[in-house]
Each structure stands twice: as structure tokens, then as C-alpha cells.
Amino acid sequence: MSDTGAVVETTHGAIRGQIVDTPCGAVRQFLGIPFGKPPVGERRFCAPEALEPWEGVLDASAFGPDPVQSVDGPYTGVIPGTSTQSVSEDCLTLNVWVPAGPEAGWPVMVWIYGGAFLTGGGSFPLYNGARLAAEQQVVVASVNYRVGALGFMDLRRMPGGESTTSNCGLHDVRLGLDWLAANADRFGGDPATLTAFGESAGAGSILHLLGAPGISAVMRRAIMQSPGVDMTQSPEVAAKVARCFLGNVGVSDVAGLRQLEPGEIVAAQVQTAMEMFTEAGAMPFHPVVDGLLIPAPPVKVLQTSAATDIEVLVGATAHELRLFKQELPAGNSDLILFHLVRSHMAKRTGAVPSINEVEALIREYRQAAEGTAWTTDSDILTAINTDVSMREPIQRLADFRAGAGARTYLYDFRWCSQADPDKGAFHAIDLPFVLDSFHVDGWGEFIGADEAAEKLGRGMRSAWAAFARRGDPSTIELGVWPRYELDERMTMILDSVSTPAADPLKNERSLWGPVGKADSQ
């Protein structure tokens, strides 16, 4: 990049950004860069198409609109800094933040936002990459992708479905990564270091792309914060979701869907989610096995090919589901707990457990909760849900990768909210630590960020940047971060005092036993 002005010649044309100040120095900011044709009309429900080159200098001083989504739905504003002011189907833009100065060869970190595959956007204040870029001297980018039905409804089995593409949102991410890989050096970045990092659905998107054909030629490394490892939709369930959706909007085929207004689609998502909850869970619009971009569920792919060329840093927060704690009704909460745990065990192992086995597992969790404030049946269920949905599958993922010789690093985030101790180390609490966003929309007050939190944040950002730079998150701030291997299962505990520990989830892992049918389907 030239050290005069803020104009960059990309593969598609020239763009002019702005120079902005941060507490750690100035950065060059380029916002709203289009990378795909508007996915509207006949391109709705299709993979994105690369944008034609433009003439002249494109003004890159403002964010593009975020993808179509509900602006007042159940996932909107659950955490600070996640609100949008503008949504549109014409949303395929990306943003880049570059340290000011003449240097080159910076690591490239590409943020993929979360939001249950229903919400999210590059304009969210929480996801501004300027501070991270300046502090760690890295190029930071973020990519918009379609969410909800427009991004993740599988219409292949519906009338007219042959003209559609599954996993449109993931195809958006892939095209954005391709664009950034081709242009990284023009921003002073090193494309050989391109590292995708994201949280929740963003981490899940990255996870599902690990097995995509040719992805290692674009993405060198991946950082996944709280991915849902076992949350891949089957084609059969996805078809039921699509049929339900068509019924709710009153059309019979894909052609009819392409005539709907975006608001009609968002409204139908809510109704479909309620009707399909039993079969599809809380997120009916979700990556689906399509035999192409996603040849099989991620863990299944890793058992066969292991995606060993991509280095991975992955982990979860210690109390993920306390943000969405399920309160059991008084009077029969113990019975409901029993049946829910039995269902978890059957799905996990492929066999219906005995009464004694279920009671023994619940008893172990009760004993682990002794001496804490979290001893009710609802608390026990929340701890079990956290392990079943997040922590145990993530360690299983690390086990598969380590067994295949793939370079992997694991963490367990344990810093707990000081403002609301009942939430603990909840899902998404790690976001301001990684993005230096304690100042955004009251995040610091929301979690009671203290000096220890600020120190941990600096350590995590240095580790994330070090991993992007050289594939090893060891830093002066956090010390040596051991590679995850099956003999010790070393995991970095991220807390006020961060230190590696050998197999810290050994007890939880042993409780859930060997993998059964759930991973063979």
C-alpha cells in the first residue's frame, strides 16, 4: 500500500477509505467494499456471483447495509453492540482496517460474525476492527453474509429447487475470503497468513468451511470461538423446514419465493421456527450437508480428511448456556431434568441409557455444583446443556484433529461476569476481550470489566494475532501455549490468571462416553 493517502488499487478497482485514530494509533479504514453482485431477483437463493470491476475511485467511507434480518427479534440486542441501522438484500460487502504506515507483510485476520445464523452484520459496533488492527499491527477484515432463510434455507427438494444453491451464506463467506486473499497484499497484508476468526455462528461458519474443496488454498488458519460442532442440519430436516416455510408464506415454488418482499420472508422465519422447533431446534436455518461445499458434518469430514493443512485455535466459555438459561417449572423439575438428560445421552451415544446411567450422570453434575450458587435443577440442566452442545463436542473435534496430526490449540474461557455473577462465563462474553470492545455500548458495565479483564483482553488479542502471524498463540503476555495432543490434552485456561492445564475436561468427557450413532450419520 502507498504511504500517501488512503487509496488502494484492488483487483476490482480503486477504493478510497479514511484514516481514523484509535488509542493505539491510526488505521486506514475501508468500509462497504462490494465483493459480490446483489443476490436479488433470480439470484435470490443462489450462490453469490463475483462483482464486475468498477471504474473510477469507489468511496469506501461508510458501511454497506447488513443482511436482511429481524431488527427486534429474540436474538437482537441480547448482548451490547449488536444492533443494525440498515438492512438490505444487497448486502455483499466487506470492510478492511489497516495499520497506518509504510510497512507490509502484516498478518490478515478476517472476522465472521455470529448471531444464530439469523442476525449479524459488519456494521455492528461490537465488530469494528480498528482497535485490534492498530494494537496488534494486523490487517483486520469483516465479511457480510446472508442470514436466515435467505442465507440458509435448503430448497433443493422444493418445486423449482434445481435453480437454487444450499448454504448461500457460506458461499458468501467463501467468496469474501477469496476476494481478500486476492487483495491482501494490496492492503499491506500477507495472504499466506489469512486467518478466519469468528464466534458462535461465525465460528460455526468457519468450521463448516474447513472441509470445503480447495479452502486451504485461501484460508491458512482458523480461530473458532464457541462453534456448535454438532449443529449441522440434515437434508431431510432441512426439506421439512423448507416445506413449512412455503406453507407459511402461501407460495408453492421457488419462483413464488423470489417474488416475496424481504419483510415477508423475515416474518415467515419466526413462524417457521416456532412450528419446527421440535424437529429442527432453535435454529432451523442452519448449514446443511449438501455434498458440495459441505460434503458431510464437520466431525465426520475430519475423521476422513482431517483438513490437516489448516491450523486451528478453538475453544468455548465455561458457562456458555447461562446466557440462555432454561428455567424448569417448579414441582416436577427433577423429572423433566431426567428426561432431557436421557434424551441427550441417547442422541450422543446412539443407545437409550438405563435409569441408573441417567441418574449417575446427573449425580456427578450435582456433586460438581456443591459449594456453588448453581445447584437447582435448572442450573444442573444448564451445565449439562453447556457441555453437551459446546464444550464436549469441541474437545472431541480437537481429539479428531490431534489424532490426524493437525496442528490444534484449545482454550477454556473462565473469566466470569462481575456485574451479574449468575451469568458466569456466558456465551459471547469473550467478544470484547478479543475485539477490544469494552467501550462499546456499555460492554464494560454489562460484564463489570475490571483491570484483570483488561489484562486478559490484551493477552488474548496478542495470542490471536500471534496465531495468525505464525500458527502458534504463545506470547509474552500469556506465556507458552502448548499444542493440543492426545497424550495430555493441554488446554489454555483463560482467566484472571491464565495458564495451560492437562485435560481439564477429563471428568466431563468421561461422563458422556464414546461417540455413537450421532457422529456416523
Side-chain angles (χ1 to χ4, degrees):
M1 176 188 291
S2 169
D3 60 358
T4 58
V7 174
V8 171
E9 290 285 346
T10 76
T11 54
H12 283 67
I15 58 174
R16 177 182 289 110
Q18 295 177 319
I19 296 178
V20 298
D21 292 323
T22 79
C24 295
V27 299
R28 297 178 181 181
Q29 174 178 270
F30 303 87
L31 306 178
I33 305 169
F35 66 88
K37 294 179 181 179
V40 300
E42 292 303 307
R43 288 194 289 269
R44 182 185 274 182
F45 302 117
C46 291
E49 298 178 20
L51 194 71
E52 302 291 342
W54 55 79
E55 296 182 359
V57 180
L58 183 74
D59 178 20
S61 61
F63 288 108
D66 295 317
V68 170
Q69 60 196 275
S70 172
V71 296
D72 57 0
Y75 295 103
T76 304
V78 174
I79 56 175
T82 55
S83 59
T84 179
Q85 300 301 316
S86 175
V87 300
S88 171
E89 282 193 84
D90 185 4
C91 64
L92 299 185
T93 62
L94 54 83
N95 314 293
V96 182
W97 294 269
V98 185
E103 296 85 356
W106 288 300
V108 180
M109 302 179 67
V110 184
W111 176 253
I112 312 299
Y113 51 75
F117 298 101
L118 284 173
T119 67
S123 79
F124 284 19
L126 176 60
Y127 303 146
N128 190 293
R131 287 191 175 212
L132 178 61
E135 181 190 72
Q136 296 301 324
Q137 293 293 285
V138 296
V139 174
V140 178
S142 62
V143 176
N144 269 7
Y145 64 93
R146 285 168 282 178
V147 296
L150 290 169
F152 292 95
M153 187 158 61
D154 185 9
L155 297 166
R156 290 173 296 170
R157 300 187 185 187
M158 302 302 106
E162 66 278 357
S163 67
T164 68
T165 308
S166 302
N167 301 304
C168 289
L170 293 187
H171 282 280
D172 296 343
V173 173
R174 176 63 191 270
L175 184 61
L177 292 175
D178 288 342
W179 194 96
L180 288 164
N183 287 280
D185 59 343
R186 298 168 186 248
F187 292 96
D190 178 2
T193 67
L194 194 149
T195 302
F197 72 124
E199 186 267 347
S200 193
S205 296
I206 297 168
L207 175 66
H208 282 90
L209 286 173
L210 289 182
I215 191 65
S216 61
V218 177
M219 181 168 60
R220 181 71 185 90
R221 302 182 177 102
I223 302 174
M224 297 178 289
Q225 302 169 216
S226 305
V229 172
D230 290 335
M231 299 179 186
T232 307
Q233 198 77 282
S234 72
E236 293 74 22
V237 172
K240 292 181 180 180
V241 171
R243 282 193 290 270
C244 180
F245 187 93
L246 263 67
N248 285 327
V249 293
V251 302
S252 60
D253 56 18
V254 171
L257 290 176
R258 287 180 171 142
Q259 300 300 314
L260 296 174
E261 292 296 323
E264 295 177 280
I265 291 176
V266 171
Q269 288 177 179
V270 177
Q271 183 65 27
T272 301
M274 291 189 295
E275 293 177 11
M276 291 299 302
F277 181 82
T278 301
E279 288 189 81
M283 295 188 293
F285 305 104
H286 200 276
V288 60
V289 174
D290 59 12
L292 297 172
L293 195 65
I294 305 178
V299 172
K300 184 67 173 178
V301 171
L302 293 177
Q303 291 182 61
T304 55
S305 67
T308 54
D309 290 338
I310 299 177
E311 298 164 338
V312 162
L313 190 162
V314 62
T317 65
H319 315 119
E320 291 273 358
L321 272 297
R322 292 202 70 82
L323 184 64
F324 309 104
K325 182 181 175 183
Q326 181 179 352
E327 292 289 352
L328 298 178
N332 60 347
S333 62
D334 55 342
L335 182 61
I336 296 175
L337 174 65
F338 176 90
H339 285 293
L340 288 173
V341 172
R342 193 174 200 180
S343 175
H344 279 320
M345 296 177 72
K347 184 177 180 181
R348 175 69 177 84
T349 64
V352 178
S354 68
I355 293 176
N356 288 339
E357 288 173 326
V358 178
E359 290 178 342
L361 188 145
I362 294 174
R363 186 164 54 250
E364 288 289 339
Y365 275 89
R366 290 196 191 282
Q367 291 175 355
E370 290 179 359
T372 75
W374 299 337
T375 59
T376 69
D377 288 339
S378 296
D379 291 322
I380 300 304
L381 177 62
T382 301
I384 289 173
N385 284 340
T386 290
D387 288 348
V388 168
S389 64
M390 290 290 187
R391 298 171 85 214
E392 191 276 336
I394 286 171
Q395 184 164 47
R396 188 162 19 103
L397 171 71
D399 282 353
F400 282 130
R401 285 184 52 84
R407 182 180 290 271
T408 305
Y409 296 88
L410 191 65
Y411 72 85
D412 192 27
F413 185 96
R414 297 186 182 179
W415 189 91
C416 295
S417 171
Q418 305 299 295
D420 186 356
D422 188 60
K423 284 189 170 64
F426 61 85
H427 184 72
I429 192 175
D430 51 339
L431 284 172
F433 291 79
V434 170
L435 296 167
D436 194 9
S437 303
F438 293 117
H439 66 290
V440 172
D441 285 0
W443 249 111
E445 294 76 14
F446 183 62
I447 61 174
D450 53 14
E451 186 175 333
E454 296 280 0
K455 179 180 178 182
L456 176 57
R458 289 191 295 272
M460 289 178 66
R461 293 191 295 277
S462 69
W464 267 226
F467 181 75
R469 184 172 286 111
R470 62 178 186 272
D472 184 342
S474 300
T475 61
I476 293 174
E477 291 86 349
L478 292 185
V480 175
W481 189 319
R483 179 172 169 175
Y484 187 89
E485 303 284 5
L486 290 176
D487 56 346
E488 290 187 298
R489 292 186 170 88
M490 296 299 293
T491 302
M492 181 63 78
I493 307 301
L494 298 175
D495 204 340
S496 299
V497 177
S498 299
T499 183
D503 205 1
L505 297 181
K506 181 178 180 179
N507 183 54
E508 291 88 340
R509 180 166 49 82
S510 64
L511 288 176
W512 293 100
V515 177
K517 293 181 181 178
D519 285 322
S520 64
Q521 295 175 346

